[in-house]
Every structure is written in structure tokens, then in C-alpha cells.
Amino acid sequence: TDAQAGAQFDLDAIIRDSSTNPLEGVTVSFDHNTTATIADDQLTTNADGVVNTTVTVPENASVDTQISVSAGDFNPENTSTTTANVTTEAAQPDSLAFVSDNIVVPSGEATDVEVEIQDQFGNHNDSISSGEIDLSSDDTSVIEVTSDAQSVSDGSATFTVNATGSSGSVNLTAT
């Protein structure tokens, strides 16, 4: 299962006997290996053998969640466990950010600057592979951007900036 960072989804578990008949009144427990939250981590099956809980996945897109579902009276001979794996993906694009915060360009030299698309939690969103990002300098006598617009590929764009000879600090703005 794939889920966006910070998203909620319903998780159903159906408990059946060996003849595939639903089992009512069975205690079902949910556990996980991350900072995910589970609304109700212990429930009792209804007449259809079903329990339902809500899972909120972590805000960090690089964390995958494994949810364990156990049912039975916790006697090893009468307990069954299964797992569901949830891959966390970046949420919808929300902002642009520089991959490196402090960029130093020696006078007369050039360096590459990468700008990435991020979700509301700061995760790199690599699902965007079209469009353009623009980069500008507030003082081109210190730093000039060789190309104002670059195509987006895998959620980012790379620009070359040149130190024109004057020393100083500039603000680069990505839009």
C-alpha cells in the first residue's frame, strides 16, 4: 500500500475460521514499527468478523511503516499474525527549496545550485517531471544565473551560477 506523508487511511481486518466463516468477538491488535499512529490499536470483531481502524502515516516520506495485525487469545497455538507494509510517499507539492542552504562561489568561478520541489513536511517530491523553475539573483554584479529557467526532472532543477568578480552576499530566489 502506498500513502502520502501525513495521510490517514482506514485499515480493515477480517477474521475468519478455517472454513472462511467470519468470527465475531475476536480481539484484534494492531502494532507498527514507526511514528505512525493507529486510532484504535485493539478492537473486537463485529458479526461479519471485521474490525476497522484509522492509520496516520509519518510525515517523513523516507520512512516505510510495517503494521502487524494479531488476532486470537494470544496462546501461540491460537494466535494468527499478518503484516501490511505501507510505503510513504511525498505529499502534494507545496514549496521550493535549495538542496544546499549555504552556497559559496569563489570569485570568477561557477557552481551548480539545485532547487527541489517539496511537500508541506519538507520531503522531496520527485513525482513532478514537467514544467520549469526560475532562479534569479538580487545582485547580478556579485552572482549571475546563467539560465533563468530550467526544466524540472524528478522534482528538481539544477542551475549554474557564476561569481562575477565582486565579493558579497546575494539572495537567490526560486519560483
Side-chain angles (χ1 to χ4, degrees):
T1 299
D2 292 338
Q4 288 185 348
Q8 290 185 341
F9 65 93
D10 287 335
L11 179 63
D12 293 332
I14 302 170
I15 310 303
R16 301 178 191 272
D17 65 16
S18 59
S19 300
T20 71
N21 298 311
L23 293 174
E24 181 178 9
V26 175
T27 300
V28 177
S29 299
F30 297 91
D31 195 12
H32 56 86
N33 66 336
T34 65
T35 57
T37 56
I38 298 176
D40 295 305
D41 60 359
Q42 191 164 356
L43 299 164
T44 304
T45 57
N46 63 19
D48 296 323
V50 176
V51 293
N52 173 277
T53 192
T54 300
V55 177
T56 305
V57 296
E59 294 176 356
N60 185 343
S62 65
V63 174
D64 291 339
T65 302
Q66 186 176 56
I67 300 170
S68 298
V69 183
S70 301
D73 60 11
F74 300 101
N75 174 335
E77 296 173 6
N78 297 327
T79 300
S80 178
T81 301
T82 191
T83 54
N85 293 310
V86 180
T87 301
T88 307
E89 303 172 334
Q92 293 299 310
D94 183 67
S95 61
L96 297 174
F98 291 97
V99 173
S100 297
D101 290 334
N102 190 14
I103 302 162
V104 177
V105 185
S107 181
E109 294 187 24
T111 193
D112 287 339
V113 175
E114 185 177 2
V115 177
E116 70 180 9
I117 300 170
Q118 294 183 343
D119 68 9
Q120 68 199 43
F121 306 112
N123 297 305
H124 177 143
N125 188 321
D126 61 3
S127 66
I128 307 298
S129 288
S130 63
E132 290 184 337
I133 296 175
D134 293 317
L135 185 68
S136 61
S137 168
D138 69 349
D139 188 349
T140 57
S141 70
V142 177
I143 293 287
E144 65 181 13
V145 180
T146 59
S147 175
D148 294 341
Q150 292 292 327
S151 296
V152 174
S153 176
D154 294 326
S156 65
T158 302
F159 299 84
T160 300
V161 296
N162 295 314
T164 58
S166 299
S167 63
S169 296
V170 299
N171 291 311
L172 295 176
T173 304
T175 55

